[in-house]
Amino acid sequence: MQWLIAQWELIPPELQALIIVTLQIVGVMLAVIVIVAFLTLAERKVIGYMQLRYGPNRVTFFGLRLLRGVAQPFADVVKLLLKEIIIPGVSSRFLFLLAPLIVLVPALAAWAVIPFAPEFVLADVDAGLLFLLALTSMGVYGVIIAGWASNSKYAFLGSMRSAAQMVAYEIAMGFALVGVLMAAGSLNLGAIVRAQMGGFLSWNWFWLFPLFVVYFIAGLAETNRAPFDVAEGESEIVAGFHVEYSGAAFATLFALPEYANMILISALTATLFFGGWLSPLQGYLPDGNWLALSGFHWLFLKTGFFLFVFLWVRATFPRYRYDQIMRLGWKVLIPVTLVWIAVEALLAWLRIGPWAA
Amino acid sequence: MLVNILFWIYAAVLVGAALGVILARNPVHSVLLLVLCFFNAAVLWLLIEAEFLAIVLVLVYVGAVMVLFLFVVMMLDINVERLREGFVRNAPLAALIAVIVAIELGYVLWVRRLGVELPAGTAPLPAGHSNTAEIGAVLYTDFVWPFQLAAIVLLIAIVAAIALTLRHRPGVRQQNIGQQVAVRPADRVRLVRMKSEREP
């Protein structure tokens, strides 16, 4: 141990910082991937119980009856990794293999600016909110390229739908974020969380409720989840943009980003509208009470709740028709955000509510 | 030192990708190479600590404009060979334009610099410096009228584009989505209470 510390001291400080940051990045990435694995299980279980069935209940660790079903994600991963990767003969081979990576990288890179705890964020970027918006808008390229490179009509239709849908909902999402940054006066996510201090009624959702609803709906659409999953549309266009993908290329590169994006949108909703790592009882309980202390566990709980809502929505609503999706995005969500931004500006001008001080 | 190395690497990729845009045989590949160009330009901006501009470049051009470009280009079945027929014929004109652009660039970069002492590179900014706040402060004070004017020009462009593409044809059967959404279960479904029948 002594020897290890001595060796560590010998490394130049720049290199030390580099090693620490790299370890943090790897840690966050591994955590996201493990959560993704168990989220797939949670999804099947939650939807199963909502539809009065059991969901996965066979695969277990060490034959323990108590853990039935818990090892299902690992069985799935092994199965998918061992399957053959089929590349269509007349596809654009390079783009076909590049597309999944383009979906995956932004889904993981966006975690760099999320403030996990009061003192822990990987990159304290000044324009963190813009960075997130830019990264989430990248994912659509993977979908479009996948559909085009597959050289298949179903895949192409799926990617066309996905492109139009994402462009439409990104605008609504961007406007919802404009409201958040108006409330916080900063683009830095840490500053946005700190601006919401003082119990759950001073969080952004209270004054920005319409924007919160719009953001969450746009988040559902951005992640291509039900009821906005027309890009996949099993019943109409087989599996949409990933119809030609198989094995590891499908699993690690389309299933993984979709779930990683779900976690990201949930964590962002918690951060932007529900106070991130702040405790909801802050200000209601005496200082120092353990329930009033801020910390990572609150962000974890809030994110978990929104993930549950994602699954709940999927189990509840039928798929939107394509023209209705467009109508909702352009004619309902965008006007709502525009009106509420104006209302918010008026509140700030008249110094009402959180802008009183 | 490190910044210089990074600059040359990204600048080289930028120039390579820009050449690829015009040399690629497939238009979709051209669009994707243009996306790569924008990314590298954004990184060059990051290197001079203009992070707001860099992120906005990626957000607006890569995230929105190029997606629509790709959307259109993918749907067109462009015959590249036919597009290249006029290449030799138009080459002299293109070369002339290229030379004029090069001279103009040279004038801006080199001739007008005579007598002006430009610092090599930019000085590192202080730690608490907010690029975003600074741009906002200038944009909404000194340049507020040009900014609003640009917004109005864009609005006119949007309205004009919609007006050009919007066509009303008589006799077309359309769905009235408002009506469809407003439908309640009671309008379509009649619930009937009946006693269960016993099996004979």
Side-chain angles (χ1 to χ4, degrees):
Chain A
M1 197 62 205
Q2 285 290 324
W3 182 80
L4 272 181
I5 294 171
Q7 291 296 310
W8 177 249
E9 301 286 337
L10 284 180
I11 302 171
E14 296 89 16
L15 211 58
Q16 277 185 2
L18 188 69
I19 291 171
I20 290 174
V21 168
T22 312
L23 287 179
Q24 285 175 340
I25 292 171
V26 171
V28 169
M29 252 179 68
L30 285 181
V32 169
I33 289 170
V34 168
I35 294 175
V36 163
F38 283 102
L39 183 59
T40 58
L41 175 69
E43 172 169 41
R44 293 167 69 181
K45 273 291 188 189
V46 166
I47 295 181
Y49 281 118
M50 282 181 181
Q51 297 171 346
L52 301 180
R53 49 189 179 83
Y54 287 112
N57 65 351
R58 296 287 143 177
V59 192
T60 171
F61 285 117
F62 318 116
L64 291 173
R65 289 179 61 83
L66 194 68
L67 296 177
R68 277 181 314 185
V70 174
Q72 184 71 43
F74 300 98
D76 287 342
V77 167
V78 170
K79 180 193 81 172
L80 284 164
L81 289 185
L82 292 179
K83 280 192 164 182
E84 184 187 356
I85 299 177
I86 299 165
I87 298 174
V90 282
S91 65
S92 170
R93 193 188 164 89
F94 175 71
L95 288 180
F96 186 80
L97 294 175
L98 183 73
L101 283 177
I102 296 178
V103 191
L104 179 67
V105 170
L108 291 177
W111 288 94
V113 293
I114 305 273
F116 292 99
E119 300 301 326
F120 183 63
V121 51
L122 287 178
D124 201 6
V125 181
D126 182 47
L129 204 59
L130 269 183
F131 175 80
L132 274 172
L133 209 57
L135 274 184
T136 45
S137 65
M138 287 304 303
V140 62
Y141 277 96
V143 174
I144 298 181
I145 294 173
W148 184 78
S150 302
N151 198 10
S152 150
K153 287 193 176 59
Y154 288 128
F156 191 64
L157 281 174
S159 67
M160 289 278 112
R161 288 178 173 197
S162 171
Q165 175 185 329
M166 287 209 185
V167 169
Y169 280 79
E170 212 147 80
I171 300 171
M173 193 179 231
F175 274 130
L177 295 183
V178 167
V180 171
L181 71 93
M182 275 167 73
S186 173
L187 281 168
N188 183 298
L189 286 163
I192 289 173
V193 172
R194 261 173 246 117
Q196 303 179 48
M197 279 213 181
F200 68 99
L201 281 182
S202 63
W203 293 348
N204 277 339
W205 69 270
F206 188 71
W207 288 96
L208 307 180
F209 191 75
L211 296 184
F212 155 63
V213 174
V214 168
Y215 182 80
F216 197 73
I217 294 174
L220 281 173
E222 288 277 298
T223 47
N224 273 328
R225 293 286 298 179
F228 300 102
D229 57 346
V230 287
E232 286 176 48
E234 303 93 336
S235 51
E236 311 134 41
I237 51 171
V238 196
F241 59 95
H242 51 57
V243 67
E244 302 289 345
Y245 284 83
S246 65
F250 171 75
T252 53
L253 305 168
F254 278 114
L256 182 62
E258 178 179 336
Y259 287 89
N261 271 325
M262 266 167 73
I263 305 172
L264 181 71
I265 296 285
S266 303
L268 277 177
T269 313
T271 306
L272 300 175
F273 295 96
F274 285 81
W277 36 259
L278 292 172
S279 158
L281 298 168
Q282 194 186 37
Y284 298 98
L285 291 172
D287 277 350
N289 189 311
W290 66 275
L291 272 175
L293 288 179
S294 303
F296 172 67
H297 53 287
W298 288 114
L299 180 65
F300 191 80
L301 286 177
K302 292 166 188 171
T303 308
F305 172 74
F306 286 112
L307 282 174
F308 177 75
V309 176
F310 262 89
L311 308 182
W312 191 5
V313 165
R314 179 171 174 192
T316 309
F317 292 111
R319 183 177 298 136
Y320 259 98
R321 215 173 56 203
Y322 185 71
D323 59 328
Q324 288 174 341
I325 288 186
M326 286 295 129
R327 175 180 171 272
L328 181 72
W330 289 103
K331 292 191 183 173
V332 180
L333 296 186
I334 292 175
V336 165
T337 51
L338 284 175
V339 166
W340 202 256
I341 286 173
V343 170
E344 195 186 346
L346 205 66
L347 289 177
W349 181 261
L350 299 173
R351 306 207 168 275
I352 299 173
W355 296 278
Chain B
M1 182 59 202
L2 186 65
V3 172
N4 277 336
I5 296 173
L6 285 175
F7 171 80
W8 287 111
I9 292 174
Y10 284 109
V13 176
L14 175 59
V15 172
L19 284 176
V21 172
I22 49 173
L23 294 178
R25 301 188 71 83
N26 191 323
V28 172
H29 293 174
S30 293
V31 173
L32 292 174
L33 283 165
L34 191 55
V35 170
L36 186 62
C37 278
F38 282 131
F39 258 106
N40 284 288
V43 172
L44 293 188
W45 269 347
L46 275 183
L47 288 179
I48 55 169
E49 302 188 32
E51 54 182 32
F52 179 79
L53 286 178
I55 297 174
V56 165
L57 178 74
V58 172
L59 178 62
V60 173
Y61 282 92
V62 177
V65 175
M66 293 317 288
V67 171
L68 294 177
F69 255 73
L70 198 57
F71 191 86
V72 173
V73 167
M74 266 165 50
M75 294 215 276
L76 301 174
D77 193 16
I78 299 174
N79 188 345
V80 183
E81 291 309 314
R82 240 188 58 211
L83 281 181
R84 280 172 193 254
E85 271 175 10
F87 184 79
V88 178
R89 190 154 46 83
N90 293 330
L93 184 65
L96 184 68
I97 294 172
V99 167
I100 291 172
V101 170
I103 289 171
E104 282 177 351
L105 278 178
Y107 175 73
V108 171
L109 289 178
W110 188 66
V111 180
R112 285 185 60 182
R113 230 178 89 176
L114 292 177
V116 181
E117 200 59 43
L118 282 183
T122 51
L125 298 165
H129 180 85
S130 171
N131 204 262
T132 319
E134 211 125 293
I135 289 178
V138 178
L139 207 56
Y140 285 97
T141 52
D142 295 349
F143 297 101
V144 64
W145 295 118
F147 186 59
Q148 298 296 332
L149 203 64
I152 290 171
V153 169
L154 284 176
L155 183 67
I156 293 171
I158 292 174
V159 173
I162 294 173
L164 283 176
T165 51
L166 188 69
R167 286 185 204 136
H168 285 292
R169 271 192 299 162
V172 177
R173 290 167 163 276
Q174 277 181 326
Q175 290 161 329
N176 184 344
I177 298 185
Q179 257 175 26
Q180 288 184 338
V181 172
V183 164
R184 298 273 82 95
D187 305 339
R188 299 277 169 90
V189 183
R190 190 167 56 92
L191 289 178
V192 182
R193 289 186 71 91
M194 61 181 285
K195 286 211 173 97
S196 59
E197 290 170 20
R198 191 162 295 164
E199 270 185 54

